[in-house]
Structures are given as C-alpha cells and as structure tokens.
Amino acid sequence: MSIKGFKISRFLPLTLVLLGAILSIACENDAKDIDRLANIKAEEAVDISKDVTVVYSDSAQVKAELKAPEMRVYHDSTGSYEFKKGVQIIFFDEFAKEMQRITSKYAIQRTESGITEFRNDVVITKVDGTVIKTEELIYDENQKKYYGSQPITAEYNDGRTSAQGTSFTSDANFNDIRFTNGTAIHFPTTDSQLPGFGN
C-alpha cells in the first residue's frame, strides 16, 4: 500500500505539470489568435475584374471605350474604380470615329468627386497625329477640363513643332492647351520665308 501511494504521489505532480503546460500553451495560442484577429483591419469590399472592356454610351451613341488588364471596384463611400495595371480609353465623335485616346500605366476614377486621375507614362494621341506626354493627367468631369501639375510635352502633327510646359490646363478635346512656363520649338521647311532683318 505504501509503495503504491509513493508511486502515485511521485508521478501525479509530473502529470499535473505536463497537463498545465499543455493547457497554458493552448491558452497562449488562443490569446495570440484573438490578439491577431483583433488587430486585423477590416478589409474593403472590392471586386476585381480581368481583361476588362467597358463601352460608354449616351442616347445609344458610343462616346468612349475603356480597356484594361485589371479593374478594381471599391464598394466604400468613394465608389472608386482603380486600374493598377494600366488603362486605355478611346474617345469617339458623333459619327463613331476615333477622336483621341489616352493611355497610362495607372488610373483611378473617383465617382463621388467626378475626378479621374491618370499617372505614369500618360500619352494622349489625337486623330490628327498630335502626341501629348506627361506623368499626370487629371480630368474634372464637373468642369469638363483636364489639368496636371507635372511637365508636359506636345509633338504636333506637322512633325516640325513641339511645345513644353511645367504644368497645364486643357479643354476636353485638347484643342486649347494652356502651358505654364511654356516654350515651343518650330523647325521651318526649307522653302519657308524667314524675316530678312533688314538685309
């Protein structure tokens, strides 16, 4: 009887220690999981679409066509559309002929404010051959105008005229671009009449 009692009293504390250690580890893991879950920020609800083509029309008339390898739609208060992998938008006239196109490596459309931002290698190509390049292009839908705070260059369709500026504003069709600190270079043709300056 005394031997059995001795064995029980000797092994019972060891069993309790092991059981306590297991329970403490389990509780520690549970506490860590709870802390980790509590610290996770609620993720925004977002839909991601691949290889997107969106056609914009008004009164059955196609106005523009958007193409992008990826489009993210955020279902928060802003309701933004984001194009992290680039975008191309082609604009059409009333006869469904292309007027101009915009491409960029990044874009975001903020529907609440009516502002669309194009960034990184932004290129505007007009149907007449004029090419405009900048790193930032912002469209204000309410005012129907483009603007940007980054340098801009324009190569005109005659192949001999270019203009640069440190920033700009423009109408929606890029027919009236106002350069800030603008400079222009024009290369005349060989038969152009230049002023004689008195000689």
Side-chain angles (χ1 to χ4, degrees):
M1 295 293 291
S2 61
I3 295 174
K4 289 181 182 178
F6 176 74
K7 285 182 179 179
I8 290 172
S9 63
R10 184 171 179 182
F11 289 107
L12 186 59
L14 180 60
T15 305
L16 289 175
V17 168
L18 290 174
L19 182 61
I22 291 168
L23 288 175
S24 67
I25 291 170
C27 290
E28 184 178 342
N29 286 342
D30 288 344
K32 285 181 180 178
D33 288 340
I34 290 169
D35 288 342
R36 181 177 57 81
L37 292 173
N39 289 329
I40 291 177
K41 294 180 180 178
E43 293 184 8
E44 291 184 88
V46 57
D47 290 332
I48 302 174
S49 302
K50 303 289 186 180
D51 298 319
V52 176
T53 299
V54 179
V55 176
Y56 298 91
S57 62
D58 184 14
S59 302
Q61 181 180 331
V62 176
K63 298 286 189 180
E65 180 185 75
L66 179 150
K67 290 187 177 183
E70 178 187 279
M71 179 175 73
R72 294 171 176 255
V73 182
Y74 293 92
H75 300 284
D76 56 9
S77 59
T78 63
S80 298
Y81 294 82
E82 188 177 32
F83 305 91
K84 290 186 172 184
K85 297 183 178 180
V87 68
Q88 172 185 267
I89 303 178
I90 301 174
F91 298 90
F92 301 97
D93 64 14
E94 64 271 22
F95 304 108
K97 293 183 178 179
E98 181 178 338
M99 293 190 306
Q100 65 194 28
R101 64 177 59 195
I102 298 173
T103 61
S104 67
K105 290 186 177 178
Y106 173 84
I108 184 166
Q109 182 182 36
R110 305 179 194 278
T111 54
E112 187 177 270
S113 62
I115 297 293
T116 302
E117 300 177 25
F118 302 89
R119 298 189 184 279
N120 302 333
D121 291 333
V122 184
V123 179
I124 303 103
T125 307
K126 292 175 60 69
V127 71
D128 67 3
T130 299
V131 178
I132 303 160
K133 297 180 180 180
T134 184
E135 289 297 311
E136 176 190 74
L137 178 67
I138 299 172
Y139 180 65
D140 187 328
E141 186 175 353
N142 299 320
Q143 297 187 32
K144 306 294 183 193
K145 73 172 187 178
Y146 288 96
Y147 61 92
S149 61
Q150 297 298 312
I152 180 174
T153 62
E155 301 286 339
Y156 291 96
N157 59 350
D158 61 6
R160 301 188 314 272
T161 307
S162 65
Q164 299 82 32
T166 55
S167 60
F168 70 98
T169 60
S170 174
D171 66 314
N173 295 321
F174 292 96
N175 292 326
D176 183 18
I177 305 173
R178 305 290 176 95
F179 297 90
T180 305
N181 300 320
T183 59
I185 300 173
H186 176 72
F187 298 97
T189 58
T190 54
D191 59 348
S192 295
Q193 291 290 327
L194 294 176
F197 299 105
N199 58 357

